[in-house]
Amino acid sequence: MATSSHLLPPQALHMIRSQPSKKLGFSPFLSCAPSMNPILSISRLSLSHSVSKSSFSLDTKARREVLVRAEDNPEAVDANTATEDNVVEADEAKAPRKPRVKLGDVMGILNQKAIEVSEKVRPVPEIRTGDIVEIKLEVPENRRRLSIYKGIVMSRQNAGIHTTIRIRRIIAGIGVEIVFPLYSPNIKEIKVVSHRKVRRARLYYLRDKLPRLSTFK
Amino acid sequence: MAAALASRLTKGRSLLGGLTNAFSGLVSSSSGSILSQQQRTFIQMGTRLKVVDNSGAKEVMCIQSLRGKKGARLGDIVICSVKESATKVDVKKGKDAIQKGKVKKGSVVYGVVVRAAMQKGRVDGSQVRFDDNAVVILGIKEKKTDEKGKEKKQNYKGGFNQPLGTRVFGPVPHEMRLKKQLKILSLAQHLV
């Protein structure tokens, strides 16, 4: 787990239980690493874990089946693979087929899984453009206490796990805009303080308006 | 305001110029996302920057970016020429006092970019951008008729950490910590 941890987004680490078997890295890893090319990740893992040739080839063939299995019963995967070894998993892959996941849906499913994982740790409230929001952020450079960012949500870009919101505020006389990924583990708390009625999805006009409109105490 | 808006819109490749605020806002928002979003770029030769310390200079023009082929970003060091400095009538005593080695108009200085209109990405996936471009002056580049380049390099090789002024105004981003500008961080009013 430690060897592949640098490849994984932090959310994915939640999914991977501390299993001793090398195989286990695969199924939960595949199901929650949305940004990784599955083929590339498999090859990396195989090198780092020095998985035997037979199991490697098996997995590239059974990649889709593995994904299908993971999608249907994520908890069962972890429980099963605790006691399984390579041979048993080979049998499961050839077992009665579940509806095949189409290649086009893969990213959507991966993103959903990653979002679920992140939601378990910290639920994200409903945030829309025009909300005045307060975010408590843990900055690795400033380990002492949480930084607080307050401001109006200028835009929300939906991109699965990398859904971001853009916060604008006048700080010390200068307008500052910060883009936060909503599901980042660094964000410790998001709170909607109030709401301003806006008739746009993106409030870029605020940049040209008076600073008074972007000031929030 | 309208003039500033017009100049910004032309930068964003829109054909509006000199129109009123509301109308241009309406048109730019309907004409597609690429046009209405402004892609800010690097700080390069000719960029005017605001000076946000009490070193004596007010406005400065970048003449060389010491890092990056395309230009400087947030946290990079630039060589600038002082275009406008605080006049002698300004505050001499007290907290806002102009430093003894006061920077005059026309002198060439080193500065670190503390605020940039171009967004800077951080390792956690967030991005930060400010509404203006600002520098803090680190040191004056002395002019010498002979041995110009070599001597400067030896002097300033590792020592770009102390700002010339004693106060820094406005917000300062965390990137200063990575760039080892700890003095500026400690002087800052507000950390972003």
Side-chain angles (χ1 to χ4, degrees), chain B residues 63-88:
Chain B
I63 55 180
Q64 188 74 253
S65 147
L66 284 185
R67 192 172 174 272
K69 213 161 70 163
K70 295 186 222 171
R73 304 181 72 160
L74 186 61
D76 295 339
I77 299 183
V78 288
I79 302 181
C80 318
S81 153
V82 179
K83 289 293 175 189
E84 197 184 316
S85 70
T87 58
K88 284 194 179 146

mmCIF file with all atom_site columns, all heavy atoms in Angstrom, chain B residues 63-88:
data_model
loop_
_atom_site.group_PDB
_atom_site.id
_atom_site.type_symbol
_atom_site.label_atom_id
_atom_site.label_alt_id
_atom_site.label_comp_id
_atom_site.label_asym_id
_atom_site.label_entity_id
_atom_site.label_seq_id
_atom_site.pdbx_PDB_ins_code
_atom_site.Cartn_x
_atom_site.Cartn_y
_atom_site.Cartn_z
_atom_site.occupancy
_atom_site.B_iso_or_equiv
_atom_site.pdbx_formal_charge
_atom_site.auth_seq_id
_atom_site.auth_comp_id
_atom_site.auth_asym_id
_atom_site.auth_atom_id
_atom_site.pdbx_PDB_model_num
ATOM 1   N N   . ILE B 1 63 ? 11.690 44.938 -16.595 1.00 0.00 ? 63 ILE B N   1
ATOM 2   C CA  . ILE B 1 63 ? 12.531 44.936 -17.784 1.00 0.00 ? 63 ILE B CA  1
ATOM 3   C C   . ILE B 1 63 ? 13.130 43.565 -18.035 1.00 0.00 ? 63 ILE B C   1
ATOM 4   O O   . ILE B 1 63 ? 13.674 43.307 -19.092 1.00 0.00 ? 63 ILE B O   1
ATOM 5   C CB  . ILE B 1 63 ? 13.649 45.993 -17.686 1.00 0.00 ? 63 ILE B CB  1
ATOM 6   C CG1 . ILE B 1 63 ? 14.466 45.802 -16.419 1.00 0.00 ? 63 ILE B CG1 1
ATOM 7   C CG2 . ILE B 1 63 ? 13.056 47.375 -17.709 1.00 0.00 ? 63 ILE B CG2 1
ATOM 8   C CD1 . ILE B 1 63 ? 15.569 46.826 -16.296 1.00 0.00 ? 63 ILE B CD1 1
ATOM 9   N N   . GLN B 1 64 ? 13.042 42.697 -17.071 1.00 0.00 ? 64 GLN B N   1
ATOM 10  C CA  . GLN B 1 64 ? 13.594 41.360 -17.266 1.00 0.00 ? 64 GLN B CA  1
ATOM 11  C C   . GLN B 1 64 ? 12.995 40.434 -16.235 1.00 0.00 ? 64 GLN B C   1
ATOM 12  O O   . GLN B 1 64 ? 12.905 40.788 -15.070 1.00 0.00 ? 64 GLN B O   1
ATOM 13  C CB  . GLN B 1 64 ? 15.103 41.417 -17.086 1.00 0.00 ? 64 GLN B CB  1
ATOM 14  C CG  . GLN B 1 64 ? 15.833 40.151 -17.432 1.00 0.00 ? 64 GLN B CG  1
ATOM 15  C CD  . GLN B 1 64 ? 15.898 39.939 -18.919 1.00 0.00 ? 64 GLN B CD  1
ATOM 16  O OE1 . GLN B 1 64 ? 15.212 39.078 -19.459 1.00 0.00 ? 64 GLN B OE1 1
ATOM 17  N NE2 . GLN B 1 64 ? 16.709 40.729 -19.583 1.00 0.00 ? 64 GLN B NE2 1
ATOM 18  N N   . SER B 1 65 ? 12.617 39.263 -16.691 1.00 0.00 ? 65 SER B N   1
ATOM 19  C CA  . SER B 1 65 ? 12.135 38.293 -15.720 1.00 0.00 ? 65 SER B CA  1
ATOM 20  C C   . SER B 1 65 ? 13.252 37.284 -15.491 1.00 0.00 ? 65 SER B C   1
ATOM 21  O O   . SER B 1 65 ? 13.799 36.724 -16.426 1.00 0.00 ? 65 SER B O   1
ATOM 22  C CB  . SER B 1 65 ? 10.906 37.579 -16.272 1.00 0.00 ? 65 SER B CB  1
ATOM 23  O OG  . SER B 1 65 ? 10.875 36.256 -15.809 1.00 0.00 ? 65 SER B OG  1
ATOM 24  N N   . LEU B 1 66 ? 13.594 37.080 -14.219 1.00 0.00 ? 66 LEU B N   1
ATOM 25  C CA  . LEU B 1 66 ? 14.739 36.225 -13.930 1.00 0.00 ? 66 LEU B CA  1
ATOM 26  C C   . LEU B 1 66 ? 14.390 34.757 -13.967 1.00 0.00 ? 66 LEU B C   1
ATOM 27  O O   . LEU B 1 66 ? 15.215 33.914 -13.683 1.00 0.00 ? 66 LEU B O   1
ATOM 28  C CB  . LEU B 1 66 ? 15.315 36.572 -12.560 1.00 0.00 ? 66 LEU B CB  1
ATOM 29  C CG  . LEU B 1 66 ? 16.136 37.846 -12.545 1.00 0.00 ? 66 LEU B CG  1
ATOM 30  C CD1 . LEU B 1 66 ? 16.759 38.040 -11.187 1.00 0.00 ? 66 LEU B CD1 1
ATOM 31  C CD2 . LEU B 1 66 ? 17.204 37.788 -13.607 1.00 0.00 ? 66 LEU B CD2 1
ATOM 32  N N   . ARG B 1 67 ? 13.155 34.468 -14.238 1.00 0.00 ? 67 ARG B N   1
ATOM 33  C CA  . ARG B 1 67 ? 12.784 33.067 -14.249 1.00 0.00 ? 67 ARG B CA  1
ATOM 34  C C   . ARG B 1 67 ? 11.707 32.866 -15.283 1.00 0.00 ? 67 ARG B C   1
ATOM 35  O O   . ARG B 1 67 ? 10.744 33.609 -15.344 1.00 0.00 ? 67 ARG B O   1
ATOM 36  C CB  . ARG B 1 67 ? 12.261 32.665 -12.881 1.00 0.00 ? 67 ARG B CB  1
ATOM 37  C CG  . ARG B 1 67 ? 12.136 31.174 -12.749 1.00 0.00 ? 67 ARG B CG  1
ATOM 38  C CD  . ARG B 1 67 ? 11.801 30.789 -11.329 1.00 0.00 ? 67 ARG B CD  1
ATOM 39  N NE  . ARG B 1 67 ? 11.541 29.376 -11.250 1.00 0.00 ? 67 ARG B NE  1
ATOM 40  C CZ  . ARG B 1 67 ? 10.361 28.803 -11.450 1.00 0.00 ? 67 ARG B CZ  1
ATOM 41  N NH1 . ARG B 1 67 ? 9.341  29.561 -11.710 1.00 0.00 ? 67 ARG B NH1 1
ATOM 42  N NH2 . ARG B 1 67 ? 10.194 27.514 -11.387 1.00 0.00 ? 67 ARG B NH2 1
ATOM 43  N N   . GLY B 1 68 ? 11.852 31.865 -16.083 1.00 0.00 ? 68 GLY B N   1
ATOM 44  C CA  . GLY B 1 68 ? 10.794 31.580 -17.043 1.00 0.00 ? 68 GLY B CA  1
ATOM 45  C C   . GLY B 1 68 ? 11.061 32.235 -18.379 1.00 0.00 ? 68 GLY B C   1
ATOM 46  O O   . GLY B 1 68 ? 11.430 33.401 -18.450 1.00 0.00 ? 68 GLY B O   1
ATOM 47  N N   . LYS B 1 69 ? 10.839 31.499 -19.408 1.00 0.00 ? 69 LYS B N   1
ATOM 48  C CA  . LYS B 1 69 ? 11.081 32.025 -20.749 1.00 0.00 ? 69 LYS B CA  1
ATOM 49  C C   . LYS B 1 69 ? 9.988  32.999 -21.140 1.00 0.00 ? 69 LYS B C   1
ATOM 50  O O   . LYS B 1 69 ? 10.201 33.978 -21.808 1.00 0.00 ? 69 LYS B O   1
ATOM 51  C CB  . LYS B 1 69 ? 11.125 30.846 -21.728 1.00 0.00 ? 69 LYS B CB  1
ATOM 52  C CG  . LYS B 1 69 ? 12.063 31.072 -22.869 1.00 0.00 ? 69 LYS B CG  1
ATOM 53  C CD  . LYS B 1 69 ? 12.438 29.779 -23.546 1.00 0.00 ? 69 LYS B CD  1
ATOM 54  C CE  . LYS B 1 69 ? 11.279 29.169 -24.306 1.00 0.00 ? 69 LYS B CE  1
ATOM 55  N NZ  . LYS B 1 69 ? 11.762 28.147 -25.276 1.00 0.00 ? 69 LYS B NZ  1
ATOM 56  N N   . LYS B 1 70 ? 8.763  32.676 -20.710 1.00 0.00 ? 70 LYS B N   1
ATOM 57  C CA  . LYS B 1 70 ? 7.653  33.513 -21.149 1.00 0.00 ? 70 LYS B CA  1
ATOM 58  C C   . LYS B 1 70 ? 7.442  34.690 -20.223 1.00 0.00 ? 70 LYS B C   1
ATOM 59  O O   . LYS B 1 70 ? 6.728  35.615 -20.572 1.00 0.00 ? 70 LYS B O   1
ATOM 60  C CB  . LYS B 1 70 ? 6.378  32.680 -21.173 1.00 0.00 ? 70 LYS B CB  1
ATOM 61  C CG  . LYS B 1 70 ? 6.431  31.571 -22.184 1.00 0.00 ? 70 LYS B CG  1
ATOM 62  C CD  . LYS B 1 70 ? 5.090  30.895 -22.241 1.00 0.00 ? 70 LYS B CD  1
ATOM 63  C CE  . LYS B 1 70 ? 5.282  29.405 -22.326 1.00 0.00 ? 70 LYS B CE  1
ATOM 64  N NZ  . LYS B 1 70 ? 4.011  28.695 -22.179 1.00 0.00 ? 70 LYS B NZ  1
ATOM 65  N N   . GLY B 1 71 ? 7.991  34.619 -19.049 1.00 0.00 ? 71 GLY B N   1
ATOM 66  C CA  . GLY B 1 71 ? 7.762  35.736 -18.147 1.00 0.00 ? 71 GLY B CA  1
ATOM 67  C C   . GLY B 1 71 ? 7.651  35.251 -16.726 1.00 0.00 ? 71 GLY B C   1
ATOM 68  O O   . GLY B 1 71 ? 7.721  34.064 -16.444 1.00 0.00 ? 71 GLY B O   1
ATOM 69  N N   . ALA B 1 72 ? 7.485  36.203 -15.831 1.00 0.00 ? 72 ALA B N   1
ATOM 70  C CA  . ALA B 1 72 ? 7.458  35.874 -14.419 1.00 0.00 ? 72 ALA B CA  1
ATOM 71  C C   . ALA B 1 72 ? 6.030  35.613 -13.965 1.00 0.00 ? 72 ALA B C   1
ATOM 72  O O   . ALA B 1 72 ? 5.070  36.149 -14.513 1.00 0.00 ? 72 ALA B O   1
ATOM 73  C CB  . ALA B 1 72 ? 8.055  37.022 -13.606 1.00 0.00 ? 72 ALA B CB  1
ATOM 74  N N   . ARG B 1 73 ? 5.924  34.813 -12.918 1.00 0.00 ? 73 ARG B N   1
ATOM 75  C CA  . ARG B 1 73 ? 4.624  34.535 -12.340 1.00 0.00 ? 73 ARG B CA  1
ATOM 76  C C   . ARG B 1 73 ? 4.664  34.952 -10.877 1.00 0.00 ? 73 ARG B C   1
ATOM 77  O O   . ARG B 1 73 ? 5.594  35.587 -10.425 1.00 0.00 ? 73 ARG B O   1
ATOM 78  C CB  . ARG B 1 73 ? 4.320  33.050 -12.456 1.00 0.00 ? 73 ARG B CB  1
ATOM 79  C CG  . ARG B 1 73 ? 4.404  32.574 -13.869 1.00 0.00 ? 73 ARG B CG  1
ATOM 80  C CD  . ARG B 1 73 ? 4.080  31.144 -13.947 1.00 0.00 ? 73 ARG B CD  1
ATOM 81  N NE  . ARG B 1 73 ? 2.658  30.960 -13.736 1.00 0.00 ? 73 ARG B NE  1
ATOM 82  C CZ  . ARG B 1 73 ? 2.002  29.869 -14.117 1.00 0.00 ? 73 ARG B CZ  1
ATOM 83  N NH1 . ARG B 1 73 ? 2.645  28.900 -14.711 1.00 0.00 ? 73 ARG B NH1 1
ATOM 84  N NH2 . ARG B 1 73 ? 0.716  29.743 -13.895 1.00 0.00 ? 73 ARG B NH2 1
ATOM 85  N N   . LEU B 1 74 ? 3.650  34.519 -10.170 1.00 0.00 ? 74 LEU B N   1
ATOM 86  C CA  . LEU B 1 74 ? 3.580  34.858 -8.761  1.00 0.00 ? 74 LEU B CA  1
ATOM 87  C C   . LEU B 1 74 ? 4.753  34.227 -8.033  1.00 0.00 ? 74 LEU B C   1
ATOM 88  O O   . LEU B 1 74 ? 5.000  33.034 -8.139  1.00 0.00 ? 74 LEU B O   1
ATOM 89  C CB  . LEU B 1 74 ? 2.275  34.306 -8.212  1.00 0.00 ? 74 LEU B CB  1
ATOM 90  C CG  . LEU B 1 74 ? 1.931  34.659 -6.784  1.00 0.00 ? 74 LEU B CG  1
ATOM 91  C CD1 . LEU B 1 74 ? 1.810  36.135 -6.636  1.00 0.00 ? 74 LEU B CD1 1
ATOM 92  C CD2 . LEU B 1 74 ? 0.653  33.977 -6.395  1.00 0.00 ? 74 LEU B CD2 1
ATOM 93  N N   . GLY B 1 75 ? 5.511  35.063 -7.317  1.00 0.00 ? 75 GLY B N   1
ATOM 94  C CA  . GLY B 1 75 ? 6.610  34.520 -6.546  1.00 0.00 ? 75 GLY B CA  1
ATOM 95  C C   . GLY B 1 75 ? 7.963  34.597 -7.226  1.00 0.00 ? 75 GLY B C   1
ATOM 96  O O   . GLY B 1 75 ? 8.978  34.319 -6.607  1.00 0.00 ? 75 GLY B O   1
ATOM 97  N N   . ASP B 1 76 ? 7.985  34.964 -8.479  1.00 0.00 ? 76 ASP B N   1
ATOM 98  C CA  . ASP B 1 76 ? 9.271  35.036 -9.175  1.00 0.00 ? 76 ASP B CA  1
ATOM 99  C C   . ASP B 1 76 ? 9.917  36.402 -8.995  1.00 0.00 ? 76 ASP B C   1
ATOM 100 O O   . ASP B 1 76 ? 9.262  37.380 -8.655  1.00 0.00 ? 76 ASP B O   1
ATOM 101 C CB  . ASP B 1 76 ? 9.081  34.761 -10.666 1.00 0.00 ? 76 ASP B CB  1
ATOM 102 C CG  . ASP B 1 76 ? 8.602  33.349 -10.927 1.00 0.00 ? 76 ASP B CG  1
ATOM 103 O OD1 . ASP B 1 76 ? 8.795  32.496 -10.043 1.00 0.00 ? 76 ASP B OD1 1
ATOM 104 O OD2 . ASP B 1 76 ? 8.035  33.110 -12.006 1.00 0.00 ? 76 ASP B OD2 1
ATOM 105 N N   . ILE B 1 77 ? 11.194 36.422 -9.274  1.00 0.00 ? 77 ILE B N   1
ATOM 106 C CA  . ILE B 1 77 ? 11.938 37.682 -9.112  1.00 0.00 ? 77 ILE B CA  1
ATOM 107 C C   . ILE B 1 77 ? 12.097 38.332 -10.470 1.00 0.00 ? 77 ILE B C   1
ATOM 108 O O   . ILE B 1 77 ? 12.383 37.664 -11.465 1.00 0.00 ? 77 ILE B O   1
ATOM 109 C CB  . ILE B 1 77 ? 13.297 37.390 -8.464  1.00 0.00 ? 77 ILE B CB  1
ATOM 110 C CG1 . ILE B 1 77 ? 13.043 36.782 -7.088  1.00 0.00 ? 77 ILE B CG1 1
ATOM 111 C CG2 . ILE B 1 77 ? 14.112 38.657 -8.340  1.00 0.00 ? 77 ILE B CG2 1
ATOM 112 C CD1 . ILE B 1 77 ? 14.281 36.525 -6.315  1.00 0.00 ? 77 ILE B CD1 1
ATOM 113 N N   . VAL B 1 78 ? 11.916 39.633 -10.500 1.00 0.00 ? 78 VAL B N   1
ATOM 114 C CA  . VAL B 1 78 ? 12.044 40.373 -11.751 1.00 0.00 ? 78 VAL B CA  1
ATOM 115 C C   . VAL B 1 78 ? 12.984 41.538 -11.547 1.00 0.00 ? 78 VAL B C   1
ATOM 116 O O   . VAL B 1 78 ? 13.151 42.040 -10.423 1.00 0.00 ? 78 VAL B O   1
ATOM 117 C CB  . VAL B 1 78 ? 10.692 40.928 -12.237 1.00 0.00 ? 78 VAL B CB  1
ATOM 118 C CG1 . VAL B 1 78 ? 9.815  39.835 -12.754 1.00 0.00 ? 78 VAL B CG1 1
ATOM 119 C CG2 . VAL B 1 78 ? 9.996  41.701 -11.165 1.00 0.00 ? 78 VAL B CG2 1
ATOM 120 N N   . ILE B 1 79 ? 13.575 41.955 -12.634 1.00 0.00 ? 79 ILE B N   1
ATOM 121 C CA  . ILE B 1 79 ? 14.373 43.176 -12.614 1.00 0.00 ? 79 ILE B CA  1
ATOM 122 C C   . ILE B 1 79 ? 13.492 44.277 -13.170 1.00 0.00 ? 79 ILE B C   1
ATOM 123 O O   . ILE B 1 79 ? 12.859 44.110 -14.209 1.00 0.00 ? 79 ILE B O   1
ATOM 124 C CB  . ILE B 1 79 ? 15.636 43.026 -13.473 1.00 0.00 ? 79 ILE B CB  1
ATOM 125 C CG1 . ILE B 1 79 ? 16.443 41.852 -12.966 1.00 0.00 ? 79 ILE B CG1 1
ATOM 126 C CG2 . ILE B 1 79 ? 16.462 44.285 -13.416 1.00 0.00 ? 79 ILE B CG2 1
ATOM 127 C CD1 . ILE B 1 79 ? 17.714 41.653 -13.728 1.00 0.00 ? 79 ILE B CD1 1
ATOM 128 N N   . CYS B 1 80 ? 13.418 45.384 -12.462 1.00 0.00 ? 80 CYS B N   1
ATOM 129 C CA  . CYS B 1 80 ? 12.495 46.439 -12.855 1.00 0.00 ? 80 CYS B CA  1
ATOM 130 C C   . CYS B 1 80 ? 13.187 47.782 -12.876 1.00 0.00 ? 80 CYS B C   1
ATOM 131 O O   . CYS B 1 80 ? 14.222 47.984 -12.252 1.00 0.00 ? 80 CYS B O   1
ATOM 132 C CB  . CYS B 1 80 ? 11.338 46.549 -11.861 1.00 0.00 ? 80 CYS B CB  1
ATOM 133 S SG  . CYS B 1 80 ? 10.713 44.996 -11.330 1.00 0.00 ? 80 CYS B SG  1
ATOM 134 N N   . SER B 1 81 ? 12.553 48.674 -13.562 1.00 0.00 ? 81 SER B N   1
ATOM 135 C CA  . SER B 1 81 ? 13.009 50.049 -13.585 1.00 0.00 ? 81 SER B CA  1
ATOM 136 C C   . SER B 1 81 ? 11.932 50.895 -12.919 1.00 0.00 ? 81 SER B C   1
ATOM 137 O O   . SER B 1 81 ? 10.755 50.764 -13.222 1.00 0.00 ? 81 SER B O   1
ATOM 138 C CB  . SER B 1 81 ? 13.228 50.465 -15.039 1.00 0.00 ? 81 SER B CB  1
ATOM 139 O OG  . SER B 1 81 ? 13.066 51.843 -15.179 1.00 0.00 ? 81 SER B OG  1
ATOM 140 N N   . VAL B 1 82 ? 12.351 51.739 -12.033 1.00 0.00 ? 82 VAL B N   1
ATOM 141 C CA  . VAL B 1 82 ? 11.381 52.533 -11.282 1.00 0.00 ? 82 VAL B CA  1
ATOM 142 C C   . VAL B 1 82 ? 10.857 53.643 -12.164 1.00 0.00 ? 82 VAL B C   1
ATOM 143 O O   . VAL B 1 82 ? 11.621 54.458 -12.689 1.00 0.00 ? 82 VAL B O   1
ATOM 144 C CB  . VAL B 1 82 ? 12.030 53.111 -10.015 1.00 0.00 ? 82 VAL B CB  1
ATOM 145 C CG1 . VAL B 1 82 ? 11.022 53.956 -9.271  1.00 0.00 ? 82 VAL B CG1 1
ATOM 146 C CG2 . VAL B 1 82 ? 12.529 52.002 -9.128  1.00 0.00 ? 82 VAL B CG2 1
ATOM 147 N N   . LYS B 1 83 ? 9.563  53.667 -12.336 1.00 0.00 ? 83 LYS B N   1
ATOM 148 C CA  . LYS B 1 83 ? 8.957  54.676 -13.187 1.00 0.00 ? 83 LYS B CA  1
ATOM 149 C C   . LYS B 1 83 ? 8.434  55.852 -12.382 1.00 0.00 ? 83 LYS B C   1
ATOM 150 O O   . LYS B 1 83 ? 8.329  56.965 -12.862 1.00 0.00 ? 83 LYS B O   1
ATOM 151 C CB  . LYS B 1 83 ? 7.792  54.060 -13.968 1.00 0.00 ? 83 LYS B CB  1
ATOM 152 C CG  . LYS B 1 83 ? 8.236  53.114 -15.035 1.00 0.00 ? 83 LYS B CG  1
ATOM 153 C CD  . LYS B 1 83 ? 8.975  53.857 -16.119 1.00 0.00 ? 83 LYS B CD  1
ATOM 154 C CE  . LYS B 1 83 ? 9.514  52.893 -17.133 1.00 0.00 ? 83 LYS B CE  1
ATOM 155 N NZ  . LYS B 1 83 ? 10.416 53.535 -18.075 1.00 0.00 ? 83 LYS B NZ  1
ATOM 156 N N   . GLU B 1 84 ? 8.034  55.550 -11.173 1.00 0.00 ? 84 GLU B N   1
ATOM 157 C CA  . GLU B 1 84 ? 7.418  56.588 -10.357 1.00 0.00 ? 84 GLU B CA  1
ATOM 158 C C   . GLU B 1 84 ? 7.782  56.299 -8.918  1.00 0.00 ? 84 GLU B C   1
ATOM 159 O O   . GLU B 1 84 ? 7.643  55.164 -8.445  1.00 0.00 ? 84 GLU B O   1
ATOM 160 C CB  . GLU B 1 84 ? 5.909  56.505 -10.520 1.00 0.00 ? 84 GLU B CB  1
ATOM 161 C CG  . GLU B 1 84 ? 5.167  57.725 -10.072 1.00 0.00 ? 84 GLU B CG  1
ATOM 162 C CD  . GLU B 1 84 ? 3.677  57.483 -10.204 1.00 0.00 ? 84 GLU B CD  1
ATOM 163 O OE1 . GLU B 1 84 ? 3.272  56.934 -11.240 1.00 0.00 ? 84 GLU B OE1 1
ATOM 164 O OE2 . GLU B 1 84 ? 2.947  57.804 -9.250  1.00 0.00 ? 84 GLU B OE2 1
ATOM 165 N N   . SER B 1 85 ? 8.273  57.295 -8.260  1.00 0.00 ? 85 SER B N   1
ATOM 166 C CA  . SER B 1 85 ? 8.628  57.054 -6.864  1.00 0.00 ? 85 SER B CA  1
ATOM 167 C C   . SER B 1 85 ? 7.944  58.085 -5.988  1.00 0.00 ? 85 SER B C   1
ATOM 168 O O   . SER B 1 85 ? 7.457  59.111 -6.456  1.00 0.00 ? 85 SER B O   1
ATOM 169 C CB  . SER B 1 85 ? 10.140 57.133 -6.677  1.00 0.00 ? 85 SER B CB  1
ATOM 170 O OG  . SER B 1 85 ? 10.577 58.464 -6.823  1.00 0.00 ? 85 SER B OG  1
ATOM 171 N N   . ALA B 1 86 ? 7.942  57.808 -4.710  1.00 0.00 ? 86 ALA B N   1
ATOM 172 C CA  . ALA B 1 86 ? 7.319  58.735 -3.775  1.00 0.00 ? 86 ALA B CA  1
ATOM 173 C C   . ALA B 1 86 ? 8.132  60.024 -3.745  1.00 0.00 ? 86 ALA B C   1
ATOM 174 O O   . ALA B 1 86 ? 9.352  60.007 -3.664  1.00 0.00 ? 86 ALA B O   1
ATOM 175 C CB  . ALA B 1 86 ? 7.288  58.098 -2.388  1.00 0.00 ? 86 ALA B CB  1
ATOM 176 N N   . THR B 1 87 ? 7.439  61.126 -3.798  1.00 0.00 ? 87 THR B N   1
ATOM 177 C CA  . THR B 1 87 ? 8.150  62.412 -3.845  1.00 0.00 ? 87 THR B CA  1
ATOM 178 C C   . THR B 1 87 ? 8.693  62.759 -2.472  1.00 0.00 ? 87 THR B C   1
ATOM 179 O O   . THR B 1 87 ? 8.331  62.167 -1.462  1.00 0.00 ? 87 THR B O   1
ATOM 180 C CB  . THR B 1 87 ? 7.208  63.532 -4.287  1.00 0.00 ? 87 THR B CB  1
ATOM 181 O OG1 . THR B 1 87 ? 6.120  63.575 -3.364  1.00 0.00 ? 87 THR B OG1 1
ATOM 182 C CG2 . THR B 1 87 ? 6.712  63.240 -5.676  1.00 0.00 ? 87 THR B CG2 1
ATOM 183 N N   . LYS B 1 88 ? 9.576  63.740 -2.454  1.00 0.00 ? 88 LYS B N   1
ATOM 184 C CA  . LYS B 1 88 ? 10.236 64.080 -1.194  1.00 0.00 ? 88 LYS B CA  1
ATOM 185 C C   . LYS B 1 88 ? 9.269  64.648 -0.182  1.00 0.00 ? 88 LYS B C   1
ATOM 186 O O   . LYS B 1 88 ? 9.547  64.675 1.002   1.00 0.00 ? 88 LYS B O   1
ATOM 187 C CB  . LYS B 1 88 ? 11.344 65.087 -1.457  1.00 0.00 ? 88 LYS B CB  1
ATOM 188 C CG  . LYS B 1 88 ? 12.549 64.448 -2.062  1.00 0.00 ? 88 LYS B CG  1
ATOM 189 C CD  . LYS B 1 88 ? 13.767 65.344 -2.010  1.00 0.00 ? 88 LYS B CD  1
ATOM 190 C CE  . LYS B 1 88 ? 14.925 64.600 -2.628  1.00 0.00 ? 88 LYS B CE  1
ATOM 191 N NZ  . LYS B 1 88 ? 15.841 65.453 -3.332  1.00 0.00 ? 88 LYS B NZ  1
#
